[in-house]
Amino acid sequence: MDLRIFTEPQQGASYDTLLTVAKATEDLGFDAFFRSDHYLRMGDSDGLPGPTDAWITLAGLARETKRIRLGTLMTAGTFRLPGVLAIQVAQVDQMSGGRVELGLGAGWFEEEHTAYGIPFPKEKFARLEEQLAIVTGLWGTEVGAEFSYEGRHYQLEKSPALPKPAQAKVPVLIGGHGATRTPRLAAQYADEFNMPFASLEDSERQFGRVRAAAEAAGRRGDDLVYSNALVVCVGKDDAEVARRAAAIGREVHELKANGLAGSPAEVVDKLGRYAAIGSSRAYLQILDLADLDHLELISAQVQSQLG
């Protein structure tokens, strides 16, 4: 199972902090560094020093790292016009030498839109579907040809469809709990389906829906990568687990029930259960970005056992 580090910078992180974590991610042998795409803190955090933009952050990290994959869980479709997003992601992919992945979602956090004057449309899912068609269509158009699109929400006419990413195919991630529309959209556009903060039972059920939708669309169910995003809190003993849980304002029993928490052996065992239902990748949500010892422990005693 691949382990990827997943951060939530809206809770309070500067670019320098994110760079430090990304470099540790690379040095410790993790597969990728991902970040959320939010402009407003959630919960009790003060959010200081303030938000950072996801794709500006990834552009900087693209030049400061060499191996790890870089991406978003998930870019909010409400934040960016699809043509602009296609340019941004393609450019960052070029800057990274072809290491970028795009997680794209509809957007959901209304308060951050209000706080920063971003329109919050009612019909977000229909917009997301058009955005996916446009972004992938622009990238897939041959150099020298033009791309046009006539949708309800977006219209493009004779776009040069440039620039192109460095990769022949930028992996697209789609995720969520929706029972019908989400699997259909994943079947049509996704290279990876991600189940965020879900139980084994819910994940298995949703993976099954996506597999069925993929087969109905003429793809093999195994054409997609299936992954989970889960909060992580590992300690070498009970006291260290409790200290790390307290540092992020969570209870150990709740973290064990809903995430990956406990000793390295406990976390390896739970990851094995996710692997048994078809998950081959875990995004480890790291909420205390100052605790680099946490990453070192996960690398040495969890990742090393996963093969």
Side-chain angles (χ1 to χ4, degrees):
M1 177 176 281
D2 294 334
L3 295 187
R4 295 182 160 190
I5 300 303
F6 171 40
T7 61
E8 300 275 5
Q10 75 277 358
Q11 299 303 96
S14 66
Y15 171 75
D16 287 340
T17 296
L18 295 171
L19 176 59
T20 297
V21 176
K23 285 186 171 181
T25 297
E26 184 158 85
D27 292 343
L28 292 169
F30 293 104
D31 182 59
F33 176 93
F34 271 57
R35 60 157 291 164
S36 61
D37 187 20
H38 287 293
Y39 292 132
L40 193 67
R41 63 174 174 78
M42 302 172 194
D44 296 331
S45 169
D46 60 20
L48 295 175
T52 51
D53 181 83
W55 285 100
I56 290 176
T57 296
L58 294 176
L61 298 181
R63 306 303 290 177
E64 297 281 357
T65 58
K66 295 180 176 63
R67 177 188 59 80
I68 51 173
R69 308 289 294 178
L70 301 166
T72 51
L73 282 183
M74 298 284 188
T75 289
T78 48
F79 289 172
R80 298 169 181 85
L81 297 170
V84 174
L85 179 61
I87 292 170
Q88 291 173 320
V89 177
Q91 184 176 3
V92 178
D93 195 50
Q94 293 173 359
M95 293 168 71
S96 72
R99 293 184 284 122
V100 159
E101 304 186 9
L102 172 63
L104 186 58
W108 62 270
F109 189 21
E110 185 172 5
E111 289 84 350
E112 69 187 336
H113 294 74
T114 302
Y116 286 96
I118 303 168
F120 190 69
K122 290 182 179 180
E123 294 185 2
K124 292 182 288 297
F125 198 90
R127 289 174 181 270
L128 172 62
E129 189 162 5
E130 291 191 14
Q131 289 164 342
L132 285 161
I134 291 166
V135 170
T136 58
L138 287 167
W139 291 339
T141 299
E142 293 183 4
V143 174
E146 295 178 331
F147 177 82
S148 296
Y149 182 86
E150 185 66 31
R152 179 180 176 188
H153 302 286
Y154 304 102
Q155 298 81 40
L156 287 74
E157 185 175 347
K158 296 182 179 180
S159 171
L162 297 171
K164 301 301 185 192
Q167 298 174 87
K169 176 74 171 69
V170 173
V172 172
L173 289 73
I174 294 174
H177 296 251
T180 304
R181 293 188 300 175
T182 297
R184 176 181 59 78
L185 211 56
Q188 186 172 1
Y189 292 107
D191 301 283
E192 177 177 338
F193 181 79
N194 179 262
M195 195 60 173
F197 312 111
S199 68
L200 286 156
E201 296 76 16
D202 288 345
S203 297
E204 185 173 26
R205 185 179 306 111
Q206 188 70 334
F207 291 165
R209 292 182 183 127
V210 174
R211 287 179 184 277
E215 290 166 2
R219 299 177 66 181
R220 294 185 307 111
D222 288 341
D223 283 349
L224 285 81
V225 172
Y226 297 88
S227 63
N228 287 87
L230 295 159
V231 64
V232 67
C233 180
V234 188
K236 62 180 181 294
D237 52 36
D238 289 346
E240 190 166 83
V241 175
R243 176 177 64 78
R244 288 200 163 109
I248 60 174
R250 304 279 285 270
E251 297 291 334
V252 172
H253 67 88
E254 178 268 325
L255 287 168
K256 287 189 176 185
N258 299 312
L260 301 169
S263 69
E266 287 178 285
V267 171
V268 169
D269 177 73
K270 192 162 188 181
L271 284 168
R273 284 182 272 157
Y274 276 97
I277 63 164
S279 183
S280 62
R281 183 171 290 160
Y283 293 81
L284 307 181
Q285 186 192 44
I286 303 293
L287 296 177
D288 184 356
L289 299 183
D291 187 2
L292 297 183
D293 289 343
H294 193 197
L295 296 186
E296 291 182 8
L297 177 65
I298 296 168
S299 174
Q301 297 192 34
V302 176
Q303 182 171 237
S304 62
Q305 297 186 55
L306 297 176

